[in-house]
Amino acid sequence: MIHEVTAKTLLSSSKQPDPWFGIKYTMNLYRGCQHQCIYCDSRSECYQIENFADVIVKVNAIDLLKKELPRKRVKGTIGTGSMSDPYLPLEATRRLTAQALEVIAENQYPLHALTKSDLVLRDLETLRVISHVYAAISFTITTADDELGKQIEPGAPLVSRRFAAMAQLAAAGLLTGALLMPVLPFIEDNPENITAIVTRAKDCGATYIVASFGMTLRDRQRAYYYAQLNRLFPGLRQQYEQRYGKRYSAPARGAARLEQVFKETCERHGIATCMPFYQPAPPLQPALL
Ligand code: SF4
């Protein structure tokens, strides 16, 4: 179901840019997500989204952005895609992300967009304008296998389409890369998967891959994930329960070894393992007389 709400504010800001992507302002135009990844952390109780299959559209988001952005005193990276994908199927007709990018371009702010969708290509020209300040587009890719992707990310475009979109963005001169997380224990935590993702990303022009080897398991998120394991991978839930109990953090099996494989493969292919953040231009020095 789709619901419309009028939001009070749009951008939330943090004192320091976050260490993963350098994000200063978070922008979520939607709540809930049609991609329905079985592992999604946004189902956790702390986010207070009762039915994550429903999508809430912030109908006044663009008006809010137009008001809020010129009032910001610090120019920092606007991040979108942490709690809901900015390129949901719904975005094809609603166009909130498309309009928000235009506002960001007009106000000359830097942007990081995280997505699982090749719909981002629709906005390539606006992204190109934003990239004169800074634009980075990251694709979440946790498996190189389309068939597995269909099971664990049932509402999202195929992984192969994400790679193809990455290649098009890179060919257009845009900064792009991958977010390789979560790495689902017993399902994706094998070196072949990690090397396959890095190698495909390299072939598609990725500049960076940010990775973390494991997943979170928290209250409603865990309950939903375990129900999906029962359906898709019978017997696996019991292995999770034995290994992780009620713990929040579920590291991949052999996480240190996987990280080593990841870093070595990235190094071989010349891919950075952290994001090149937005760097504000230094203020102009007054000319000496
Ligand atoms: S795309 Fe992101 S926000 Fe949407 S369901 Fe998947 S993990 Fe959650």
Side-chain angles (χ1 to χ4, degrees):
M1 292 239 309
I2 311 295
H3 305 279
E4 294 188 344
V5 296
T6 305
K8 289 199 180 81
T9 58
L10 185 67
L11 297 174
S12 58
S13 62
S14 52
K15 278 204 178 117
Q16 292 299 327
D18 85 282
W20 294 96
F21 308 109
I23 289 167
K24 169 84 179 147
Y25 303 108
T26 301
M27 175 181 79
N28 283 306
L29 304 161
Y30 302 102
R31 274 167 74 82
C33 187
Q34 292 171 298
H35 287 164
Q36 289 299 304
C37 308
I38 65 169
Y39 50 75
C40 183
D41 172 61
S42 299
R43 290 190 183 87
S44 304
E45 274 163 24
C46 58
Y47 300 120
Q48 299 177 345
I49 303 175
E50 282 315 309
N51 189 351
F52 194 67
D54 290 356
V55 178
I56 296 168
V57 180
K58 298 181 186 174
V59 284
N60 60 334
I62 304 307
D63 288 341
L64 287 174
L65 188 62
K66 283 179 181 167
K67 265 189 227 148
E68 290 176 27
L69 213 43
R71 290 188 195 145
K72 298 291 178 202
R73 287 189 301 175
V74 177
K75 186 159 282 199
T77 301
I78 298 171
T80 188
S82 56
M83 290 282 298
S84 177
D85 197 303
Y87 290 100
L88 299 173
L90 183 72
E91 166 61 18
T93 49
R94 287 285 179 149
R95 297 183 61 85
L96 282 189
T97 302
Q99 294 176 71
L101 295 195
E102 281 164 21
V103 177
I104 290 167
E106 276 161 30
N107 286 272
Q108 302 186 353
Y109 264 71
L111 170 85
H112 174 256
L114 174 63
T115 185
K116 287 191 174 97
S117 176
D118 54 351
L119 181 57
V120 65
L121 292 172
R122 179 200 61 189
D123 297 336
L124 199 149
E125 285 313 313
T126 319
L127 288 166
R128 223 201 287 257
V129 175
I130 298 172
S131 75
H132 294 143
V133 179
Y134 173 93
I137 302 97
S138 304
F139 293 89
T140 306
I141 297 178
T142 74
T143 172
D145 177 1
D146 273 347
E147 291 309 311
L148 179 58
K150 276 192 229 170
Q151 290 183 296
I152 61 174
E153 298 156 351
L158 292 178
V159 175
S160 52
R161 282 175 56 185
R162 292 175 225 165
F163 276 123
M166 184 188 285
Q168 263 185 265
L169 293 173
L174 286 158
L175 177 62
T176 183
L179 181 70
L180 201 177
M181 67 175 81
V183 173
L184 305 180
F186 299 96
I187 299 172
E188 298 178 318
D189 55 350
N190 56 81
E192 296 74 26
N193 182 43
I194 305 303
T195 34
I197 293 172
V198 175
T199 308
R200 290 266 293 277
K202 182 245 167 196
D203 291 344
C204 295
T207 298
Y208 58 87
I209 304 178
V210 178
S212 178
F213 298 92
M215 70 181 300
T216 59
L217 286 171
R218 179 162 53 181
D219 48 68
R220 282 201 306 227
Q221 174 208 14
R222 183 199 291 118
Y224 185 86
Y225 182 65
Y226 279 2
Q228 301 310 310
L229 289 188
N230 286 343
R231 187 173 64 81
L232 297 166
F233 307 99
L236 205 49
R237 173 194 183 140
Q238 290 72 13
Q239 294 193 58
Y240 270 72
E241 285 172 337
Q242 267 175 17
R243 191 174 178 93
Y244 302 114
K246 295 274 180 207
R247 287 204 290 281
Y248 167 67
S249 175
R253 296 168 305 161
R257 170 81 189 118
L258 291 178
E259 185 166 4
Q260 191 187 356
V261 168
F262 167 70
K263 286 189 168 158
E264 284 170 5
T265 316
C266 284
E267 196 177 345
R268 204 166 54 246
H269 292 314
I271 294 182
T273 53
C274 53
M275 287 274 308
F277 291 171
Y278 162 68
Q279 301 292 344
L284 292 175
Q285 297 288 331
L288 296 174
L289 296 175

